[in-house]
Amino acid sequence: MRTVLVTGPGGAGRTTVAAATALAAARRGGSALLLTPDPIPGFPRDTGPTEVTAGLWAARIDSAEHFRGEFLALQDRASGVLDLLGGARLDGEEITELPGSTQLALLHSLRRAAEGDWSRRGHDLLVVDLPPLGEALDLLSLPARLRRYLRRLLPPERQAARALRPMLAQLAGVPMPAQWLYEAAARKDAELAAVQALIEDAGTTLRLVAEPGPAAEEALRTARTGLALHGLRVDSLAVNRLLPRHSADPWFAALAAQQEKTVDRWRDEWAPHAALRELPHLGRDPRGLDDLDRLAEHTAPAPDHGVPGPGRAEDPWWIEVPDAPEGLGALLPGSRIVRTAPDGDGDDVPVLAWCLPLPGAVKKDLRLVRRGDELLLTVGPYHRTVPLESGLRRCTVSGASLTDGLLRVRFTPDPDLWPRTG
């Protein structure tokens, strides 16, 4: 199953383009599932997959319903502790969602579509209507971050002490919550792992939607760094609400000319790596399938050409090394290794350069921290924690540079840890 994640600056028409993308796949004889938190004119408002037309199914993400269900389930599992503390349980009618529940509901829906009950129909294409661009980048990095927090706060190896819990429970006189806490953490980790696998799958791409203008230009320019940091691949940029060129009205003609200049700049910036799709302004908000069909003519599902098959996508970074001893691949499993000319100092311990393209990044917004076996990267508003390969864990960070949008972090092997030849 291919997955297209649709996002863009706020107000650009993301939901409309997401619906048109799914409809285009259905019209071509495929089967598409659309996930959206927003109502679409002419679409059912059911919170489960419902057929819209032949080949097209849609499900509306109800964050309030999801939050209520999760809260009540947690309340039931913690009933022993609540009774001990004299807590009064909340009824479903008095529970209202809290900030952040929309993101968690969307992740839950992604899991159901990836490997849960919503995946049983075997759709060819999954189209996901994401929040605005900045929020979407945070959302797509959330599964990995939450899994990291769970591993740090509740290490799985600590469950080895569960043999002591019955004795502790007898001494305390109440059931010990640790077991269900670990079980809940393991269950959530498995759910988050499924979503992370879907996001990182080679068959998953991002589709950007933007209405040409100065604000959208700035938003896309800023987002390019975040997209590169998280290794998200953009399959196309949908330029939405394009006005007719050569209008007789001077005011409309000026707006169309401004849009055309923006589109030309976007073509130079994005077209080498992503298709540029121009969607006309309909003169009003889209209403129903007829309007979506007009827009679907200008969209398409993720193209087959140039898109790898299912499987984990490659990491966006690589490691540059001079001629090095045999067995380097075993120290850097899974890493892309680019061999460079030897430095000529005669040392058999190479200096490794960890490289990551960061287009648009500037040095003053870049923060780099080595913490244990992880590299913590911050570029402007975007953050990513990268687990280091075993070879890099044997090194110390000896420097870093940002040149022409390429970050190079130099690692010098620790002589006491790095294997030597001869």
Side-chain angles (χ1 to χ4, degrees):
M1 178 180 69
R2 290 281 170 78
T3 302
V4 177
L5 308 172
V6 182
T7 185
R14 303 181 315 277
T15 301
T16 297
V17 173
T21 299
L23 181 60
R27 296 299 194 222
R28 289 176 170 83
S31 174
L33 172 62
L34 170 67
L35 302 183
T36 177
D38 298 320
I40 301 174
F43 279 51
R45 300 199 175 193
D46 301 64
T47 55
T50 306
E51 190 171 21
V52 181
T53 187
L56 174 59
W57 297 71
R60 188 175 64 84
I61 302 170
D62 189 336
S63 56
E65 178 183 315
H66 174 260
F67 179 81
R68 190 178 300 112
E70 290 288 299
F71 189 95
L72 291 174
L74 176 62
Q75 189 173 243
D76 289 340
R77 287 195 293 269
S79 58
V81 176
L82 292 176
D83 292 342
L84 174 67
L85 299 176
R89 300 191 188 190
L90 296 175
D91 295 326
E93 292 76 11
E94 58 182 318
I95 298 174
T96 56
E97 61 179 316
L98 298 177
S101 59
T102 301
Q103 290 87 337
L104 295 177
L106 201 154
L107 293 180
H108 177 73
S109 298
L110 278 176
R111 185 197 66 80
R112 296 179 72 179
E115 64 173 30
D117 52 336
W118 291 0
S119 65
R120 293 171 187 162
R121 294 186 181 277
H123 297 288
D124 305 310
L125 180 69
L126 172 65
V127 182
V128 186
D129 176 20
L130 294 179
L133 192 49
E135 298 174 37
L137 292 178
D138 285 337
L139 173 69
L140 295 176
S141 66
L142 190 57
R145 283 186 286 155
L146 291 178
R147 295 186 70 202
R148 177 175 177 267
Y149 298 158
L150 284 174
R151 288 193 298 269
R152 291 286 294 273
L153 297 174
L154 294 170
E157 57 270 17
R158 292 295 181 90
Q159 295 190 61
R162 61 185 174 187
L164 300 176
R165 292 180 195 142
M167 180 181 67
L168 295 175
Q170 289 181 359
L171 293 175
V174 296
M176 297 298 292
Q179 183 58 35
W180 68 258
L181 185 61
Y182 277 106
E183 290 174 354
R187 187 166 52 251
K188 287 300 178 186
D189 182 73
E191 293 176 0
L192 291 168
V195 178
Q196 184 179 354
L198 176 70
I199 294 171
E200 295 178 350
D201 190 275
T204 297
T205 54
L206 204 66
R207 179 157 299 183
L208 300 178
V209 183
E211 183 175 353
E217 276 195 275
E218 180 61 28
L220 291 183
R221 190 176 298 115
T222 302
R224 287 191 70 187
T225 304
L227 293 169
L229 178 63
H230 292 291
L232 297 169
R233 296 174 299 115
V234 177
D235 72 0
S236 62
L237 170 58
V239 184
N240 199 22
R241 299 176 186 144
L242 278 175
L243 297 172
R245 297 179 176 90
H246 314 299
S247 172
D249 186 309
W251 189 76
F252 277 107
L255 284 178
Q258 183 186 51
Q259 286 188 336
E260 191 169 1
K261 290 180 181 178
T262 301
V263 172
D264 288 340
R265 286 192 289 269
W266 283 347
R267 188 172 287 108
D268 293 337
E269 293 176 10
W270 295 91
H273 309 288
L276 211 68
R277 305 188 185 279
E278 300 183 11
L279 281 68
H281 201 303
L282 299 180
R284 53 180 169 78
D285 290 335
R287 304 169 190 164
L289 291 177
D290 288 342
D291 285 344
L292 289 177
D293 269 321
R294 293 176 59 189
L295 297 176
E297 297 173 2
H298 303 273
T299 67
D304 290 336
H305 59 277
V307 178
R312 192 185 187 285
E314 287 188 338
D315 289 320
W317 53 79
W318 65 88
I319 298 174
E320 294 180 348
V321 297
D323 288 343
E326 294 292 333
L328 182 64
L331 293 172
L332 302 170
S335 296
R336 282 185 290 162
I337 299 176
V338 177
R339 296 188 179 273
T340 59
D343 52 21
D345 60 6
D347 195 350
D348 60 351
V349 179
V351 175
L352 313 178
W354 185 88
C355 304
L356 174 66
L358 292 174
V362 293
K363 290 182 180 179
K364 67 181 182 65
D365 294 333
L366 180 63
R367 185 167 178 262
L368 180 67
V369 176
R370 163 80 180 273
R371 182 169 296 168
D373 294 339
E374 296 175 326
L375 199 62
L376 279 58
L377 285 169
T378 299
V379 187
Y382 306 111
H383 311 272
R384 183 168 188 178
T385 301
V386 179
L388 296 176
E389 297 286 0
S390 60
L392 296 182
R393 295 174 194 169
R394 303 166 186 245
C395 306
T396 58
V397 176
S398 55
S401 63
L402 179 66
T403 307
D404 296 329
L406 180 64
L407 172 65
R408 280 188 173 88
V409 183
R410 293 184 297 279
F411 286 84
T412 300
D414 185 332
D416 296 329
L417 300 176
W418 192 264
R420 291 179 177 270
T421 59

